[in-house]
Amino acid sequence: MTPESGLIDRFGRRIDYLRLSVTDRCDFRCVYCMAEKMTFLPREQVLSIEELYEVGRSFVELGVRRIRLTGGEPLVRRGLLALVQQLGRLPVELSLTTNGSQLAKLAGPLADAGVDRINISLDSLQADRFQRLTRTGDLNQVLRGIDAAREAGIRRIKLNSVILRGRNDDEVLALVEFARERGLDISFIEEMPLGQISEHDRAEQFCSSEQLRARIETRFALLPSTERTGGPSRYFRMADSDSRIGFISPHSRNFCGDCNRVRVTAEGRLLLCLGHEHSVDLRQVLRDPARVPADLQHHIVQAMALKPERHEFRLDDEPQILRFMNMTGG
């Protein structure tokens, strides 16, 4: 495999999308993402801004055309704007996933630096419930961040909502209305079984995409959309709105067959699948004083042979992946 041929795994899937985590830290403690009391990586174990850029540049040279910056919460990472400015000069679509807490002050600089798309987590429009789901979050702060992203002219803004039965499933229609009123897209995400969560029963509180779609269709007719974004969302449109409704369904509608993604964690692990531990330590390569420039791309190319055919998420079993989502990279 050469840079000209791109990254292709052993199942013939072309990898053109990198999710690059810049930190495992976050100012929220969302109940489906991490434990209330977390131990974060020592700073020396986290890739530097220079190392993160080198990883991004190497993937672009190997054919990646989309980079999404993730965390943790990427906007709490010191030096992030410098990284965005560097990556923004590459021939790549640059996007970011955030909880929105820092967007009121950073949306404009991010847009100026080349961020094309932003995904913003929003699981409730009720301030007290939002605080319970995030443990530390301020809903009004996030709403101000959403407004700031719109005013900054970010080309595409999408809300991400994880729906849990008995906790926020009664807000599905309100969230759709909120997105429609602001011309935003919204994706509803089935909870992914990463990390040991003791606060709720995942199987008991699971809401499938089809259940949510049926609820939405009591008010809005959903029409299939042929538009693809490179991510796992399956989109629908509405006849009277430009907003799209997406569903990310790791349980009820496996999307592994056309997976085009890999992840690099904040500590430099190249994860080949969200639901497996197959990985390659890129930090070791980056910090090897004897390495030559071609070594990093060589290890990335060789790693494609480790990418599994599919994840093995099961609702009726203990989580097989004990790392939390903040350690995985969005």
Side-chain angles (χ1 to χ4, degrees):
M1 187 183 299
T2 65
E4 291 75 22
S5 65
L7 296 172
I8 301 175
D9 72 7
R10 57 201 171 103
F11 303 101
R13 298 173 297 195
R14 182 175 295 277
I15 309 305
D16 62 6
Y17 182 7
L18 170 66
R19 300 178 71 98
L20 180 60
S21 177
V22 301
T23 182
D24 66 324
R25 296 170 186 266
C26 186
D27 49 349
F28 288 4
R29 298 288 186 274
C30 296
V31 297
Y32 52 79
C33 182
M34 62 177 81
E36 187 168 6
K37 295 181 179 180
M38 292 292 298
T39 300
F40 297 110
L41 292 168
R43 296 191 186 278
E44 64 272 12
Q45 292 184 23
V46 176
L47 295 186
S48 69
I49 293 297
E50 294 75 19
E51 290 168 335
L52 288 164
Y53 173 71
E54 189 167 355
V55 170
R57 180 180 57 78
S58 293
F59 271 96
V60 171
E61 291 179 358
L62 289 169
V64 160
R65 291 295 171 259
R66 301 178 184 91
I67 295 179
R68 177 172 293 278
L69 300 178
T70 69
E73 171 47 49
L75 297 186
V76 303
R77 173 65 196 262
R78 187 176 301 173
L80 179 76
L81 281 177
L83 175 63
V84 172
Q85 289 165 351
Q86 291 175 311
L87 293 174
R89 299 187 190 107
L90 299 175
V92 66
E93 179 187 274
L94 189 58
S95 60
L96 180 139
T97 292
T98 174
N99 63 27
S101 68
Q102 308 299 313
L103 269 182
K105 61 182 178 182
L106 291 176
L110 287 168
D112 293 341
V115 171
D116 297 306
R117 297 170 179 259
I118 289 185
N119 288 3
I120 305 169
S121 297
L122 185 67
D123 301 321
S124 176
L125 295 168
Q126 300 176 26
D128 56 343
R129 178 180 286 176
F130 184 88
Q131 198 280 329
R132 289 195 299 272
L133 288 169
T134 62
R135 298 193 182 102
T136 59
D138 180 341
L139 175 62
N140 289 325
Q141 188 177 10
V142 173
L143 297 181
R144 288 193 296 270
I146 293 171
D147 289 340
R150 295 172 64 210
E151 292 166 6
I154 300 292
R155 181 166 61 90
R156 202 100 204 193
I157 302 170
K158 179 164 73 77
L159 306 177
N160 283 340
S161 298
V162 176
I163 301 300
L164 305 175
R165 185 183 305 280
R167 300 198 73 160
N168 64 342
D169 59 313
D170 58 333
E171 291 194 67
V172 171
L173 290 174
L175 287 163
V176 172
E177 288 279 17
F178 179 88
R180 283 168 53 93
E181 290 168 0
R182 290 157 182 79
L184 310 178
D185 296 334
I186 184 168
S187 280
F188 294 100
I189 305 172
E190 293 178 350
E191 184 186 12
M192 299 183 189
L194 301 180
Q196 292 283 0
I197 300 289
S198 59
E199 227 171 283
H200 62 269
D201 185 316
R202 279 175 160 144
E204 186 175 304
Q205 296 192 355
F206 173 72
C207 284
S208 74
S209 295
E210 293 309 309
Q211 290 169 330
L212 298 181
R213 178 182 168 187
R215 187 172 303 186
I216 294 168
E217 288 195 305
T218 63
R219 186 175 301 175
F220 306 107
L222 298 183
L223 309 170
S225 172
T226 58
E227 185 176 354
R228 299 295 302 274
T229 64
S233 276
R234 178 176 44 128
Y235 281 107
F236 294 82
R237 57 187 177 84
M238 294 168 284
D240 61 344
S241 172
D242 290 334
S243 293
R244 298 176 305 166
I245 310 295
F247 299 95
I248 300 178
S249 318
H251 296 288
S252 62
R253 187 180 184 273
N254 185 281
F255 44 72
C256 297
D258 56 359
C259 180
N260 62 341
R261 300 169 296 288
V262 293
R263 288 170 166 79
V264 174
T265 71
E267 60 183 329
R269 285 178 64 198
L270 170 54
L271 283 174
L272 284 305
C273 175
L274 183 66
H276 287 272
E277 293 292 4
H278 303 71
S279 66
V280 171
D281 186 355
L282 298 184
R283 185 182 65 195
Q284 182 179 32
V285 180
L286 286 162
R287 297 183 180 178
D288 181 355
R291 77 180 178 96
V292 297
D295 286 349
L296 184 61
Q297 289 192 8
H298 171 76
H299 280 80
I300 292 170
V301 169
Q302 293 298 110
M304 294 303 109
L306 300 177
K307 188 169 175 61
E309 186 174 14
R310 57 171 294 163
H311 67 67
E312 300 296 339
F313 291 150
R314 292 187 178 89
L315 281 170
D316 57 355
D317 199 0
E318 289 295 312
Q320 301 302 304
I321 305 299
L322 299 182
R323 55 179 151 80
F324 286 100
M325 197 67 186
N326 69 300
M327 292 294 298
T328 300

